[in-house]
Amino acid sequence: MEVVPLASVEEVARLGADVVEAAVRGGAGVLGLATGSTPLPTYRELIGRHLDGIGPSYDGVRCFTLDEYVGLPAGHPESYRATIARELTDPLGIPADRVHGPDPDPAGLPTAGERYEAALRAAGGVDVQVLGIGSDGHLAFNEPGSSLASLTRLKTLTEETRRDNARFFGSLDEVPRHVLTQGLGTILRSRHLLLLATGPGKAAALAAAVEGPLTASCPASVLQLHPHVTVLCDPSAAAGLERRDHYREVYAAKPAWQGL
Ligand code: PGA
């Protein structure tokens, strides 16, 4: 795992955008997209470069979201389908039929996980997966206790996550209890994982994920099993990392040819 402690949220956004753009320029055809607040500065950076005409071509790129709420009316602005279109894919000019997410239609829930896994496989798998981390260590909506080998399925959110996400809704009561989420085993199949962590609320979870034991009690610790993980974090999110000085030295001494 490559952990890169950076000086600011803006620097996380710039490097995050560099990683995504380098992959697209290098032929990556499938992007995995996280929602939530953390990736937004990176997405704005990508959009800004695209509008300035200095981004890569997104022609042919397909996108898969990590997860989706269950129980929201179709087209709800906080559904992840609507969110990712608004925050990234529409401004990048990626048409809706190339942006995929788990299908929360109540009638199809029993098969929604399998169908999403099949769609991911048919697309050839995710080249770069953007990830955030929950304050409880969740990855996508895999809450503590999730199988480290899990695949896309229906999950129930913890109270902590519902409270964290209540800011996007009118009240806590409006936050759905159920979600469809890629499993931890699904996420591990992506070829490159890009974890973004910013803000003091992520410090404990990030330290547990990166330096703690591999355990379902901290789902993001499953990243330790993946051969190509890049963690970009700001000073407040990095505050709990015991080896952060070492990570800085490693990054400073990194051969230019390696890239991220
Ligand atoms: P956030 O959520 O980026 O809104 O903090 C991250 C997550 O829940 O995975």
Side-chain angles (χ1 to χ4, degrees):
M1 188 174 326
E2 179 163 33
V3 183
V4 187
L6 296 167
S8 64
V9 172
E10 293 71 28
E11 203 180 354
V12 170
R14 280 197 299 277
L15 261 75
D18 288 348
V19 169
V20 172
E21 288 191 343
V24 172
R25 286 201 174 93
V30 181
L31 299 179
L33 302 174
T35 42
S37 304
T38 310
L40 292 179
T42 297
Y43 293 166
R44 283 186 207 117
E45 181 73 23
L46 288 168
I47 293 164
R49 294 179 192 182
H50 176 69
L51 296 178
D52 287 346
I54 55 172
S57 166
Y58 293 95
D59 287 352
V61 168
R62 295 175 70 183
C63 302
F64 285 81
T65 57
L66 278 173
D67 40 22
E68 182 57 281
Y69 289 116
V70 169
L72 293 177
H76 190 288
E78 294 307 328
S79 71
Y80 285 166
R81 175 167 291 278
T83 301
I84 206 66
R86 182 174 67 240
E87 304 292 356
L88 185 67
T89 55
D90 281 358
L92 290 184
I94 301 174
D97 64 0
R98 283 200 268 119
V99 183
H100 311 274
D103 173 12
D105 179 1
L109 282 180
T111 60
E114 260 166 60
R115 283 184 283 126
Y116 202 52
E117 292 288 329
L120 284 160
R121 274 197 307 275
V126 171
D127 291 300
V128 182
Q129 175 64 61
V130 180
L131 295 164
I133 183 171
S135 63
D136 63 358
H138 72 215
L139 202 60
F141 273 140
N142 295 281
E143 298 284 26
S146 295
S147 160
L148 299 179
S150 48
L151 302 178
T152 306
R153 72 231 182 276
L154 186 79
K155 290 291 283 179
T156 306
L157 297 179
T158 60
E159 274 305 295
E160 181 173 342
T161 298
R162 292 184 65 241
R163 273 197 306 274
D164 282 351
N165 288 7
R167 67 190 190 281
F168 297 114
F169 293 84
S171 68
L172 179 59
D173 283 346
E174 288 170 61
V175 184
R177 290 180 188 280
H178 289 121
V179 292
L180 285 163
T181 182
Q182 285 191 30
L184 296 170
T186 317
I187 292 168
L188 285 183
R189 288 203 307 262
S190 296
R191 286 179 270 282
H192 182 187
L193 301 178
L194 174 66
L195 177 69
L196 309 174
T198 54
K202 302 302 171 67
L206 186 65
V210 172
E211 295 177 343
L214 174 65
T215 168
S217 296
C218 177
S221 67
V222 80
L223 296 175
Q224 296 174 26
L225 290 175
H226 194 283
H228 191 187
V229 180
T230 305
V231 179
L232 304 180
C233 48
D234 77 341
S236 55
L241 295 170
E242 277 181 23
R243 294 193 289 271
R244 66 179 182 280
D245 290 343
H246 173 65
Y247 305 139
R248 279 200 195 98
E249 284 163 22
V250 171
Y251 185 62
K254 191 177 169 68
W257 55 262
Q258 262 186 348
L260 271 175

